[in-house]
Amino acid sequence: MNHDQCVGIIGCGNMGLAIAHRLTLSGFTVLIGSRNPDIRYHVEFEITSIIDCVIRSSIIFVATHAEHYTNTLISPLEHHPTLFDEKILIDISNQLDNRSREDGLSNAERLQIAIPNAYVVKAFNTISSFVMESTTAGEPRSVPVASNHGFARDKVIMLAREMNFDSYNGGSLRTARHLENYTRSLFPLWRKPIIITLIVLCIWLSYTVYMKFISTKTTSWHQLFLHMTNKILCTSAITLLALVYMPSNLACMFQLAYKTKERRFPRWLDTWLLCRKQLGLLTYAIALFHVLITLVLMSSAYYTTWFHPTIITLPPNKNQTKIIVQSNVMTWKGELASLMGILTLLSMSLLALASIPALANLLNWREWRFVQSRLGTFTLLCAIGHVFAMAAPRWIETGIIQSLKSVGFLCVFFPVITILMRFLFWLPCFYRRILRIRRGGLPK
């Protein structure tokens, strides 16, 4: 762009002044338009009337609320019908409430209809005034640009990049309907995964408390905060990990039943498939919390079967009394459970890193699929091995019938079903049919 040209800003609020500050730092000449220029004064920027600002500028930021568009932009057209001809108007407004408009249009679309001779562009509505003024702010710096006019959109994309923002083509002006509401949404992709996670945590909390404190009464209430929390986190983590990989098994079942990839999955399965990334990251957070608590509690007092006891025999004149003292040497059970836990956490860490867009972009499709599928299966196997190493000796000791209602057996049941289904669909008889369906051909 030509830095000698004047960029106009309509509005003297915090956002308007912040945009002016960033444009000045980027080498542009800035002119601010106000409805009351006589009472406005600023040392760094020239403030003039709205009409004068529009006439002298080819690109104009509209830094006012949408409800003021009529007074600031549309009313001057009565006396100056050609005022906005071939002017690029950058609409930075957002929807202020959740009430749906009767026409369903965005602020930018209404502005384009009201001023048809202007080139309305939706941009910068995702940037706060703080980020606009600061070059070190940690908030998002991505600027999607949407417009029905390709050349105007390209100019604004270039302008945003020269202002040191990551800008990209956001499509037509219709996209503004999503962009204006996006800034008001609070973790829209995380709501359902968080609800699922809370439900799983509540289920295991209720059952574990019942088994340990009411049914068997094998645990002291003094162990409620860390010891019991750790058991709940362990069972919840492996359950959630299975929930991450179960929908792919169900997708295979539906595709085999439909015999085509064109038919949509049921809505609940589509939703489940789309929230796997967030569910996996929540699982990783819970597993990491479980590991930290385990390290705090790692002692022979809490994990008696993980450590060898040391037997000290007193002299015969003391009636050969034996004193058992717990040592710090682990048994095979403790070492195997620790090894499986370490492998699980390491694999989950790699999966979490691969979900970061900057790192995922370094992988091709086959590499990314290997990490998320094969490594994910290995992670689930390690998690199952961790639970088996901890609980299997106890199952043998108490018997099969008693073990069926134990926390360890119940928490591993669903993951085992999940992993068996994954291995089943890897068999050639099923894998080849699924592959042909996904390539668009009908199975023979």
Side-chain angles (χ1 to χ4, degrees):
M1 290 187 60
N2 183 6
H3 284 220
D4 294 332
Q5 69 177 324
C6 181
V7 177
I9 302 172
I10 298 178
C12 299
N14 292 335
M15 191 62 182
L17 294 177
I19 294 173
H21 178 74
R22 173 55 68 93
L23 287 170
T24 302
L25 290 179
S26 302
F28 291 92
T29 301
V30 178
L31 181 64
I32 299 179
S34 172
R35 286 177 291 179
N36 302 298
D38 296 334
I39 63 175
R40 298 282 188 179
Y41 176 77
H42 202 281
V43 176
E44 299 181 24
F45 315 116
E46 179 183 356
I47 299 180
T48 183
S49 66
I50 293 177
I51 294 177
D52 185 49
C53 176
V54 174
I55 292 174
R56 294 167 56 186
S57 308
S58 59
I59 299 178
I60 302 105
F61 283 84
V62 183
T64 62
H65 292 296
E67 56 265 29
H68 301 312
Y69 284 177
T70 301
N71 295 331
T72 58
L73 301 175
I74 301 175
S75 295
L77 289 175
E78 297 178 1
H79 304 286
H80 303 82
T82 62
L83 179 64
F84 292 101
D85 286 3
E86 299 184 354
K87 301 290 184 177
I88 297 177
L89 298 182
I90 303 177
D91 175 33
I92 66 170
S93 67
N94 286 310
Q95 297 288 346
L96 298 180
D97 52 50
N98 289 322
R99 292 174 298 180
S100 59
R101 308 284 185 174
E102 292 182 1
D103 54 10
L105 300 177
S106 63
N107 296 335
E109 288 175 297
R110 288 191 209 92
L111 183 60
Q112 182 67 86
I113 293 173
I115 313 177
N117 294 332
Y119 306 128
V120 177
V121 179
K122 189 71 186 184
F124 294 97
N125 65 302
T126 58
I127 303 296
S128 68
S129 59
F130 178 72
V131 176
M132 190 66 72
E133 289 187 286
S134 174
T135 58
T136 59
E139 297 181 30
R141 309 177 67 83
S142 180
V143 179
V145 180
S147 177
N148 292 335
H149 311 282
F151 75 95
R153 182 171 56 228
D154 293 340
K155 279 192 174 183
V156 176
I157 290 175
M158 185 60 66
L159 173 65
R161 290 175 180 172
E162 294 191 37
M163 294 170 67
N164 199 27
F165 291 109
D166 181 18
S167 181
Y168 61 91
N169 188 340
S172 67
L173 204 60
R174 184 183 178 89
T175 312
R177 303 178 188 181
H178 165 71
L179 295 176
E180 290 179 2
N181 289 305
Y182 177 76
T183 56
R184 301 189 66 259
S185 58
L186 182 63
F187 301 115
L189 299 178
W190 289 85
R191 292 175 184 174
K192 292 177 181 177
I194 289 176
I195 292 174
I196 293 173
T197 302
L198 291 177
I199 291 174
V200 171
L201 286 170
C202 289
I203 290 174
W204 283 119
L205 171 63
S206 303
Y207 189 76
T208 305
V209 169
Y210 169 77
M211 290 298 297
K212 299 296 182 180
F213 294 104
I214 299 175
S215 179
T216 61
K217 298 181 181 179
T218 56
T219 305
S220 169
W221 287 101
H222 297 289
Q223 299 174 301
L224 177 64
F225 298 101
L226 281 182
H227 182 63
M228 288 302 301
T229 299
N230 203 29
K231 287 185 175 293
I232 295 164
L233 292 176
C234 177
T235 53
S236 299
I238 192 171
T239 302
L240 290 170
L241 188 60
L243 286 173
V244 172
Y245 293 101
M246 176 56 82
S248 61
N249 296 331
L250 299 178
C252 291
M253 293 176 59
F254 277 102
Q255 285 181 332
L256 287 173
Y258 294 158
K259 297 183 179 181
T260 177
K261 68 174 184 178
E262 305 299 331
R263 186 173 174 181
R264 296 281 307 198
F265 296 128
R267 186 173 181 180
W268 58 269
L269 182 56
D270 269 335
T271 303
W272 194 355
L273 288 167
L274 291 174
C275 71
R276 286 182 298 172
K277 176 181 176 179
Q278 291 76 19
L279 201 58
L281 292 175
L282 290 172
T283 304
Y284 176 65
I286 292 175
L288 188 60
F289 195 12
H290 165 62
V291 170
L292 293 176
I293 295 180
T294 301
L295 292 176
V296 172
L297 298 178
M298 183 64 72
S299 67
S300 57
Y302 278 96
Y303 299 95
T304 56
T305 59
W306 283 32
F307 297 90
H308 284 291
T310 299
I311 302 177
I312 301 177
T313 304
L314 297 180
N317 59 354
K318 298 296 183 179
N319 297 324
Q320 295 184 348
T321 304
K322 293 182 179 180
I323 301 176
I324 300 178
V325 180
Q326 299 291 343
S327 71
N328 291 323
V329 180
M330 276 189 171
T331 62
W332 68 268
K333 172 184 174 180
E335 291 199 359
L336 181 59
S338 299
L339 176 62
M340 290 294 101
I342 292 171
L343 289 175
T344 302
L345 183 65
L346 178 61
S347 301
M348 292 183 71
S349 300
L350 294 176
L351 289 169
L353 289 174
S355 67
I356 300 174
L359 296 178
N361 291 335
L362 300 177
L363 304 175
N364 60 36
W365 168 247
R366 187 175 182 182
E367 292 169 342
W368 185 87
R369 184 179 176 86
F370 173 83
V371 170
Q372 296 297 333
S373 180
R374 300 297 190 268
L375 184 59
T377 303
F378 176 76
T379 304
L380 187 56
L381 274 175
C382 290
I384 293 172
H386 176 66
V387 175
F388 267 95
M390 293 186 62
R394 181 66 176 173
W395 298 343
I396 297 173
E397 180 183 344
T398 58
I400 300 298
I401 302 302
Q402 285 295 109
S403 300
L404 291 178
K405 61 180 181 180
S406 67
V407 174
F409 181 85
L410 292 177
C411 79
V412 83
F413 181 78
F414 182 62
V416 168
I417 296 297
T418 302
I419 204 72
L420 289 177
M421 290 180 66
R422 289 186 73 82
F423 289 148
L424 177 66
F425 290 121
W426 282 350
L427 294 176
C429 57
F430 290 107
Y431 180 76
R432 291 172 183 171
R433 291 169 62 88
I434 294 172
L435 190 60
R436 281 201 297 267
I437 292 173
R438 291 176 177 175
R439 287 179 176 176
L442 294 176
K444 297 180 181 179

